[in-house]
Amino acid sequence: MTQKQAPDLVASRELFSLLSHVGLVGKILAQDLRRAGLIHVRGTTGEVNIQGETVKKLDEVANQTFLKVFDQSGLLCALASEEMEKPVLFPENWPQAKYMLLIDPLDGSSNTDCNMPLGAIFSVVKPASNDRMPTEHDLARKGSEQVAAGYLLFGASTMLVYTVGQGVHGFTLDPGIGEFLQSHELVRIPMHGKVYSANEGNYHKWATGARQYVDYLKISDTATGRPYSGRYSGCLVADVHRILLDGGIYLYPAEQKKPEGKLRLLYEANPLAWVVEQAGGRASTGIQRIMDVEPKQLHQRVPLLIGSAGDVSDAEEFIQGKRPGG
Ligand code: AFP
């Protein structure tokens, strides 16, 4: 990825360097994932992480790769990860380092051992004030305060997709030259799509509105392009990437016993919300714009509806009981 290919990064050499370091993580992980079955990185570490999930060896490999690549970069004063209870602080880089990075180092962990798509998600924020070294609390910021966000997609090809607030751009890794080359410029998401992405195994745990919305999507109606097709990969990044290009909606809604849903606000919802909004889409809790949610703690969860603006608005109306019964 050259700076010429990233006109929106001309203003900030540091931000360009930070995204190039994310690209380096992408190249290293793509190499490991392509050989995963040969280099003994399948299976679990036996540990349970702060999310209460069994840690996959590849979760650990991905987390360590981000830490190693950014440790020596001098670009960060703090790094928080979905895999780590506490963030890593870099006081040695303070105050010249302007950025703090939040990551989901490997998204879709249930796919690691069966060669299904995987991703990594990143969000970049700046310290609230410049007069003191940031603390853990300074990392919990509203999505609207991000200065960069995006993801790595490890699918048939490896991609880096990001925004710094001037639209959404995509780069594809050319393994032949080991470089990310621009493949998608100023991506725009259609107002409505033809697919919905949800774990319907949870259907009976969902609140009424979410159930009614998915029922509505299955009813045949040519005028509104229904029924929509179900597409769920187990990897949020892969499902959102499809929706970013073709339209549609991904939903992991509130459940009666888990009103906060499953997905992590700071590591998953905020960065993907900004990418999708920058492409003309929307991201909501069902009640509120994701990017306006005031974070209370680092590993906070949030219900997520994300995708085409028209589809997310429809889903919100059902969830808010404004369209009873479909
Ligand atoms: P992991 O990365 O912990 O596997 O979670 C994946 C994820 O956050 C997202 O990528 C998936 O869409 C969703 O959770 C899968 O959750 P279910 O297994 O409950 O459907």
Side-chain angles (χ1 to χ4, degrees):
M1 181 163 82
T2 63
Q3 193 145 13
K4 200 169 81 35
Q5 284 176 317
D8 50 352
L9 293 176
V10 168
S12 161
R13 293 200 67 72
E14 289 93 352
L15 206 46
F16 174 70
S17 177
L18 192 153
L19 284 164
S20 303
H21 280 73
V22 171
L24 176 56
V25 170
K27 294 173 189 175
I28 297 168
L29 289 180
Q31 173 87 347
D32 289 342
L33 294 174
R34 260 201 306 277
R35 301 171 305 142
L38 308 172
I39 56 172
H40 316 298
V41 288
R42 289 187 295 185
T44 66
T45 64
E47 308 282 314
V48 173
N49 67 15
I50 179 66
Q51 316 293 343
E53 295 158 345
T54 305
V55 178
K56 294 289 188 75
K57 287 184 184 166
L58 279 166
D59 286 325
E60 192 52 32
V61 167
N63 200 52
Q64 286 308 317
T65 304
F66 270 99
L67 288 173
K68 257 187 261 154
V69 165
F70 279 97
D71 192 27
Q72 303 307 320
S73 71
L75 289 164
L76 303 179
C77 47
L79 186 156
S81 167
E82 184 189 289
E83 290 298 328
M84 303 186 309
E85 182 176 359
K86 294 289 177 195
V88 175
L89 302 178
F90 301 99
E92 68 278 15
N93 295 343
W94 175 259
Q96 69 285 353
K98 291 203 190 76
Y99 301 113
M100 305 191 290
L101 183 66
L102 299 104
I103 57 171
D104 175 358
L106 198 68
D107 174 52
S109 311
S110 59
N111 288 353
T112 54
D113 299 352
C114 51
N115 205 8
M116 286 278 285
L118 292 163
I121 312 172
F122 64 93
S123 169
V124 182
V125 293
K126 285 188 168 182
S129 74
N130 289 332
D131 55 15
R132 61 169 177 72
M133 169 62 192
T135 64
E136 171 176 343
H137 178 68
D138 294 307
L139 282 146
R141 312 286 286 283
K142 284 202 304 191
S144 53
E145 297 177 72
Q146 296 173 99
V147 293
Y151 55 83
L152 291 161
L153 170 59
F154 303 106
S157 62
T158 296
M159 287 192 68
L160 169 60
V161 175
Y162 75 86
T163 186
V164 293
Q166 296 166 36
V168 176
H169 302 282
F171 291 74
T172 298
L173 179 60
D174 179 335
I177 60 171
E179 253 314 334
F180 280 97
L181 303 178
Q182 185 152 34
S183 52
H184 299 70
E185 192 169 1
L186 295 173
V187 177
R188 298 305 294 172
I189 186 171
M191 181 52 80
H192 281 278
K194 293 188 173 18
V195 303
Y196 70 99
S197 192
N199 181 347
E200 290 199 69
N202 296 333
Y203 178 88
H204 294 292
K205 299 178 189 168
W206 295 344
T208 313
R211 290 204 306 269
Q212 289 173 337
Y213 174 63
V214 168
D215 293 346
Y216 161 82
L217 291 178
K218 297 175 182 175
I219 296 165
S220 185
D221 175 61
T222 323
T224 52
R226 289 177 294 144
Y228 279 25
S229 295
R231 293 282 184 278
Y232 190 68
S233 72
C235 174
L236 172 65
V237 166
D239 292 329
V240 166
H241 186 71
R242 175 208 305 273
I243 287 164
L244 192 68
L245 301 181
D246 303 340
I249 183 169
Y250 170 104
L251 57 161
Y252 209 109
E255 296 174 5
Q256 285 136 21
K257 294 204 181 82
K258 275 201 299 183
E260 75 284 2
K262 174 192 178 179
L263 301 177
R264 280 54 61 145
L265 173 64
L266 299 176
Y267 309 110
E268 295 174 306
N270 272 347
L272 295 177
W274 199 23
V275 168
V276 166
E277 283 194 3
Q278 280 286 309
R282 291 192 57 220
S284 167
T285 64
I287 310 297
Q288 181 186 13
R289 178 183 176 234
I290 289 285
M291 299 259 282
D292 294 337
V293 174
E294 190 68 53
K296 295 185 189 56
Q297 42 100 8
L298 217 45
H299 296 283
Q300 176 174 342
R301 297 173 188 261
V302 70
L304 180 64
L305 315 176
I306 187 168
S308 294
D311 293 321
V312 171
S313 302
D314 288 345
E316 279 181 327
E317 287 186 3
F318 280 93
I319 285 172
Q320 295 167 18
K322 293 179 182 151
R323 302 236 315 241

